[in-house]
């Protein structure tokens, strides 16, 4: 089973492509998301082929902090995913429909283990400066985030917010122009384990670039992170996590190749074991 983050891991906005070669050598791109009538997210054509291969060879589980509506705009190449994880683990989609039992269990866990959303949202709005705050949003009644003018955002404000949130059982993550405040019990890893249980997966592979992906990478048997993003910025890794040097859309291709290689190696090992037992 493969559980992978989407934005800046598998798919990339124009601003996040990170292309450093001359325009004439740039890879061909495939649009995988349209928003407001305009193309928003891309993969390279090579990555599109790799995604198709991965979707056919494994149980591929798109795993994102996006809301269900935001996830619904994405059309990845390859077969439709049976399972998807949205809202940072708050929703487990099965054939595109949120599992109500899973959502209820998440709600109970949040109510028991961290400060309420209303308190955190009020603090965000009260302390944010209109000079750099562009929008404030609540996602799926589970967590809050701000859209900011990054060049004007004071680093100290983010650090102070992280300390304040930590004492209330929440995590702060800065990704591009967005600042997320997410309850600590709301994790991608918990949802990944549930999908692994339902599918009977004996090997879990994962990929991601942000602080909100760290628990997912730690919970997998093997994992990869690109050379960009929050985790790369702080040099985060773990013994079973491969820290790639590739950045931008090129990292997406490398991650897909690594996932396919690991899945193929596991399949070959399993087939060899079966042959040995029969022999």
């Amino acid at each position: 089973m493969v559980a992978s983050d989407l934005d800046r891991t598998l798919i990339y906005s124009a601003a996040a492509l990170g292309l450093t070669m001359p325009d004439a050598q740039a890879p061909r791109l495939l649009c995988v998301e349209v928003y407001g009538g305009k193309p928003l997210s891309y993969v390279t054509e090579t990555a599109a082929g790799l995604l198709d291969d991965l979707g056919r060879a494994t149980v591929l589980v798109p795993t994102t902090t996006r809301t269900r509506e935001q996830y619904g705009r994405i059309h990845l190449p390859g077969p439709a995913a049976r399972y998807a994880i949205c809202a940072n683990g708050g929703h487990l989609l099965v054939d595109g429909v949120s599992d109500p039992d899973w959502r209820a269990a998440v709600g109970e866990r949040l109510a028991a283990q961290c400060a309420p959303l209303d308190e955190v949202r009020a603090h965000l709005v009260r302390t944010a400066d209109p000079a750099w705050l562009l929008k404030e949003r609540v996602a799926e009644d589970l967590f809050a985030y701000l859209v900011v003018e990054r060049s004007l955002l004071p680093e100290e404000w983010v650090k102070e917010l992280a300390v304040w949130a930590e004492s209330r059982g929440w995590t702060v993550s800065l990704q591009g122009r967005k600042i997320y405040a997410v309850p600590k019990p709301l994790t991608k890893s918990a949802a990944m384990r549930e999908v692994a249980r339902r599918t009977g997966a004996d090997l879990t592979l994962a990929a991601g670039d942000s602080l909100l992906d760290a628990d997912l990478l730690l919970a997998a048997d093997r994992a990869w992170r690109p050379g960009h993003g929050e985790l790369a910025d702080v040099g985060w890794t773990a013994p079973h996590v491969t820290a790639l040097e590739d950045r931008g859309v090129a990292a997406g291709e490398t991650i897909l190749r690594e996932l396919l290689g690991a899945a193929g190696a596991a399949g070959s090992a399993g087939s060899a074991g079966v042959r040995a037992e029969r022999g």
Side-chain angles (χ1 to χ4, degrees), residues 97-179:
V97 179
S98 181
D99 184 311
D101 293 334
W102 177 258
R103 177 63 184 86
V106 167
E108 292 174 2
R109 192 160 66 244
L110 299 187
Q113 298 179 26
C114 58
L117 171 62
D118 287 347
E119 177 184 343
V120 175
R121 181 188 186 187
H123 180 82
L124 287 173
V125 174
R126 184 172 62 252
T127 60
D129 189 334
W132 46 259
L133 177 62
L134 302 178
K135 301 175 185 176
E136 67 92 10
R137 295 287 187 269
V138 168
E140 302 271 20
D141 291 325
L142 289 167
F143 61 90
Y145 66 93
L146 306 179
V147 181
V148 302
E149 183 59 60
R150 183 69 180 265
S151 62
L152 301 178
L153 178 68
E155 289 187 15
E156 284 305 313
W157 185 87
V158 180
K159 293 177 181 178
E160 291 171 2
L161 175 64
V163 172
W164 181 90
E166 173 76 22
S167 65
R168 288 160 178 82
W170 286 63
T171 295
V172 170
S173 174
L174 176 59
Q175 302 179 38
R177 297 194 308 150
K178 293 182 180 179
I179 301 172

Side-chain angles (χ1 to χ4, degrees), residues 37-245:
K38 298 179 181 179
L40 184 61
S41 298
Y42 304 85
V43 297
T44 65
E45 286 193 347
T46 298
L50 294 169
L51 269 167
D52 183 70
D53 292 343
L54 189 64
R56 297 181 189 283
T58 69
V59 177
L60 177 58
V61 184
T63 304
T64 180
T65 304
R66 286 177 175 236
T67 65
R68 288 170 290 170
E69 179 182 0
Q70 292 167 339
Y71 169 69
R73 300 196 302 254
I74 299 173
H75 301 283
L76 295 177
R82 174 81 195 281
Y83 295 96
I85 296 166
C86 293
N88 214 64
H91 285 280
L92 175 56
L93 305 190
V94 183
D95 294 326
V97 179
S98 181
D99 184 311
D101 293 334
W102 177 258
R103 177 63 184 86
V106 167
E108 292 174 2
R109 192 160 66 244
L110 299 187
Q113 298 179 26
C114 58
L117 171 62
D118 287 347
E119 177 184 343
V120 175
R121 181 188 186 187
H123 180 82
L124 287 173
V125 174
R126 184 172 62 252
T127 60
D129 189 334
W132 46 259
L133 177 62
L134 302 178
K135 301 175 185 176
E136 67 92 10
R137 295 287 187 269
V138 168
E140 302 271 20
D141 291 325
L142 289 167
F143 61 90
Y145 66 93
L146 306 179
V147 181
V148 302
E149 183 59 60
R150 183 69 180 265
S151 62
L152 301 178
L153 178 68
E155 289 187 15
E156 284 305 313
W157 185 87
V158 180
K159 293 177 181 178
E160 291 171 2
L161 175 64
V163 172
W164 181 90
E166 173 76 22
S167 65
R168 288 160 178 82
W170 286 63
T171 295
V172 170
S173 174
L174 176 59
Q175 302 179 38
R177 297 194 308 150
K178 293 182 180 179
I179 301 172
Y180 291 92
V182 179
K184 285 188 175 183
L186 186 67
T187 64
K188 295 178 179 180
S189 60
M192 181 193 73
R193 291 190 185 97
E194 176 62 14
V195 177
R197 183 190 69 80
R198 295 187 186 193
T199 60
D202 54 7
L203 175 69
T204 54
L205 308 175
D209 71 293
S210 79
L211 178 63
L212 295 176
D213 296 315
D215 68 284
L216 176 70
L217 306 188
L218 288 173
D221 295 310
R222 291 188 62 188
W224 290 261
R225 69 149 175 85
H228 60 255
E230 280 184 308
L231 298 180
D233 289 345
V234 299
W236 182 94
T237 189
H240 67 290
V241 176
T242 300
L244 301 172
E245 294 184 1

Side-chain angles (χ1 to χ4, degrees), residues 31 33-40 73:
C31 177
E33 179 186 15
V34 173
Y35 180 57
K38 298 179 181 179
L40 184 61
R73 300 196 302 254

